[in-house]
Amino acid sequence: MPDLSDGFAPADADARPLWVLGPDDLKAWRADQPAHVGNWLDGAGFAAQAGRVIVVPSQTGEVHGAVLGLGDAGQRDRHRFLVGGARASLPEGDWHLAGDLDPDAAAEAALGWLLAGYAFGRYAKASSPKARLVPPAGVDADRIAAIAAGEALTRDLINTPANDMGPAELESAARDLANAFGAGITVTAGDALKDANFPLIHTVGRAAAPHRAPRLIEMTWGDTGPRLTLVGKGVCFDTGGLNLKPGASMGLMKKDMGGAATVLGLARMIMALKLPLRLRVLVPAVENAVGSDAFRPGDILTARDGKTVEINNTDAEGRLVLADALALAAEEASDLTVSMATLTGAARVAVGPDLAPFFCNDDGIAAAFAAGGAAARDPVWRMPFWAPYEQMIEPGIADLDNAPKGGFAGAITAALFLRRFAGDSTRYAHFDLYGWQPQSAPARPKGGVGQGARAILAALPGVLGL
């Protein structure tokens, strides 16, 4: 995992100014600059367009500073992490942000700067920008670095292809994280899942055994404070099982463990920041493979808590493995349980790849997540646990249907399915993630990306009374 914190320069560094200006600010700023600066900007056609960077020379032709355009005020909500996006355009050296930035803008700039240093270089040489930033005054640089490190972990795990990121490798990543922060970790794998009463995890993953045996990873950290349980879907590759996906749909299935990657990244943030809480992380890690031992359409399976599930599509396997993990979570009191999963295509149809839709049974927590997402520039959007749709997941022949026919409200019915296992008295939220950046954007290169983790982290102090 790259060390993104090296993107920060010491507070006393001899740093050049980076002015961050909108079109309305540019005119006033130019009035205070030497004439050659205005001539330089005019010759380049610079008008503070959103994301455009121009290096400003001194009168002797040396690099004096740079200007980053913010674009029109009315369009700024269309852009995130513009300061981070500027990093690759700046000459090597140390920089500081010039001008007045409000605290939220300064924090976004600092985080974007570090995230812009991420590059996935495991299989081919990848270079990162060399420019460094003096953290803006008032910004908690250590907190920003911890958040960036958690995001980098999530991106690395998602970006790693399934031949190097199967259930065993995901377990290894969790063990490395636990060892780094003194957390406890236990793993139940292979046929031991049957003896430990994790029947759905075992059934979904058994066709990939023995070399890629399914497992339930449990990590615990902290011994005082409120209890937070994070459950992440760890389907390391999803062929669709016997309901085989077409090739075009299988191409990105290395990211089907994005929920697990995101909860591990969030757990890293929490532990690095030493939040005063008791953390429990549950990751059912499987590969949904095709084989003689694969589960079948029409099978009726019994979950850990005794509920029966009719299998109408083996490609709806994520909710099955999460069901066992959520049932385990519900056996121990928790002040908040959050599941995260790359669960449904319906969620992507509803909100696209940039928003993380979530469901929550507590209005106060939902409002806190929405506010946290806005503050952390990690956009989330609440969707409903719509009770009238409960009948859609009740097939009659079993307690639950894993893939209701008709295709209506697919994200909602999946969330309702999961809620059945989370515990009636549990404050529960479920995030249906995409986990992938389809096109490069400032501080978000094409590839794996964390969603929802920063929103949750920002909300935790109010939600859990930290």
Side-chain angles (χ1 to χ4, degrees):
M1 186 181 75
D3 181 11
L4 301 187
S5 65
D6 61 7
F8 279 157
D12 59 356
D14 183 16
R16 302 183 183 101
L18 172 62
W19 290 279
V20 182
L21 305 172
D24 295 339
D25 307 315
L26 182 61
K27 184 176 179 180
W29 177 82
R30 283 184 56 164
D32 294 332
Q33 304 303 311
H36 79 275
V37 172
N39 294 335
W40 182 263
L41 298 181
D42 289 340
F46 182 82
Q49 303 94 326
R52 187 172 177 193
V53 179
I54 186 167
V55 174
V56 177
S58 68
Q59 288 184 318
T60 58
E62 299 170 332
V63 175
H64 171 61
V67 184
L68 166 66
L70 286 179
D72 294 330
Q75 295 186 334
R76 288 180 194 169
D77 284 344
R78 297 173 58 181
H79 305 284
R80 276 191 284 161
F81 298 130
L82 284 180
V83 172
R87 185 178 173 188
S89 300
L90 294 172
E92 182 175 352
D94 296 336
W95 297 81
H96 71 89
L97 297 180
D100 295 327
L101 288 177
D102 64 58
D104 288 342
E108 178 189 345
L111 178 60
W113 187 277
L114 292 190
L115 293 181
Y118 175 82
F120 184 61
R122 179 167 178 174
Y123 301 98
K125 185 176 181 181
S127 60
S128 298
K130 302 302 182 185
R132 301 192 304 174
L133 180 73
V134 175
V139 167
D140 186 338
D142 290 339
R143 176 181 173 84
I144 294 294
I147 292 172
E151 171 67 16
L153 173 60
T154 295
R155 293 181 183 184
D156 272 0
L157 292 175
I158 296 174
N159 283 328
T160 303
N163 59 308
D164 286 326
M165 186 52 64
E169 289 82 5
L170 190 56
E171 174 191 333
S172 180
R175 288 189 181 278
D176 288 345
L177 180 62
N179 291 338
F181 290 95
I185 187 166
T186 59
V187 177
T188 307
D191 288 341
L193 289 165
K194 292 190 292 184
D195 297 332
N197 193 25
F198 296 110
L200 297 186
I201 298 173
H202 179 265
T203 298
V204 170
R206 69 192 182 198
H211 300 299
R212 300 173 76 81
R215 63 206 66 208
L216 187 282
I217 303 164
E218 179 172 5
M219 185 171 68
T220 56
W221 175 87
D223 52 16
T224 59
R227 296 180 183 273
L228 171 66
T229 302
L230 303 177
V231 182
K233 172 187 169 185
V235 177
C236 296
F237 194 81
D238 181 17
T239 66
L242 294 182
N243 290 114
L244 192 69
K245 293 178 183 287
S249 299
M250 215 182 296
L252 276 182
M253 283 302 100
K254 70 175 184 178
K255 77 173 184 67
D256 212 22
M257 38 66 70
T262 303
V263 300
L264 290 175
L266 176 56
R268 193 194 191 288
M269 297 176 198
I270 289 168
M271 294 187 292
L273 294 172
K274 300 179 180 178
L275 296 189
L277 54 78
R278 286 172 285 182
L279 176 66
R280 187 185 192 192
V281 177
L282 301 174
V283 173
V286 303
E287 179 169 329
N288 188 20
V290 176
S292 61
D293 203 19
F295 70 118
R296 297 161 293 266
D299 285 356
I300 295 180
L301 309 178
T302 302
R304 178 180 178 85
D305 65 355
K307 293 184 179 71
T308 55
V309 182
E310 182 182 16
I311 305 303
N312 280 308
N313 192 324
T314 63
D315 196 18
E317 84 298 328
R319 67 200 69 185
L320 300 176
V321 299
L322 287 172
D324 270 357
L326 285 168
L328 173 64
E331 293 167 11
E332 180 179 297
S334 178
D335 294 289
L336 174 63
T337 296
V338 179
S339 60
M340 308 189 86
T342 52
L343 203 63
T344 69
R348 240 51 55 215
V349 172
V351 300
D354 203 37
L355 284 166
F358 74 97
F359 303 78
C360 188
N361 63 5
D362 184 291
D363 290 342
I365 292 174
F369 284 164
R377 302 293 273 168
D378 184 16
V380 299
W381 196 265
R382 189 184 188 185
M383 295 180 71
F385 279 125
W386 189 246
Y389 291 165
E390 291 277 7
Q391 62 185 353
M392 295 169 64
I393 59 172
E394 296 171 347
I397 193 172
D399 294 323
L400 292 164
D401 182 341
N402 85 317
K405 293 179 174 61
F408 288 128
I412 297 174
T413 55
L416 290 172
F417 182 99
L418 295 180
R419 189 175 67 168
R420 294 284 187 99
F421 297 90
D424 293 337
S425 62
T426 302
R427 298 197 299 174
Y428 173 59
H430 164 63
F431 283 74
D432 194 335
L433 312 174
Y434 189 53
W436 190 262
Q437 182 68 29
Q439 296 177 329
S440 291
R444 290 167 291 150
K446 181 178 179 179
V449 68
Q451 292 181 299
R454 298 195 309 277
I456 295 169
L457 184 71
L460 284 180
V463 168
L464 296 181
L466 303 180

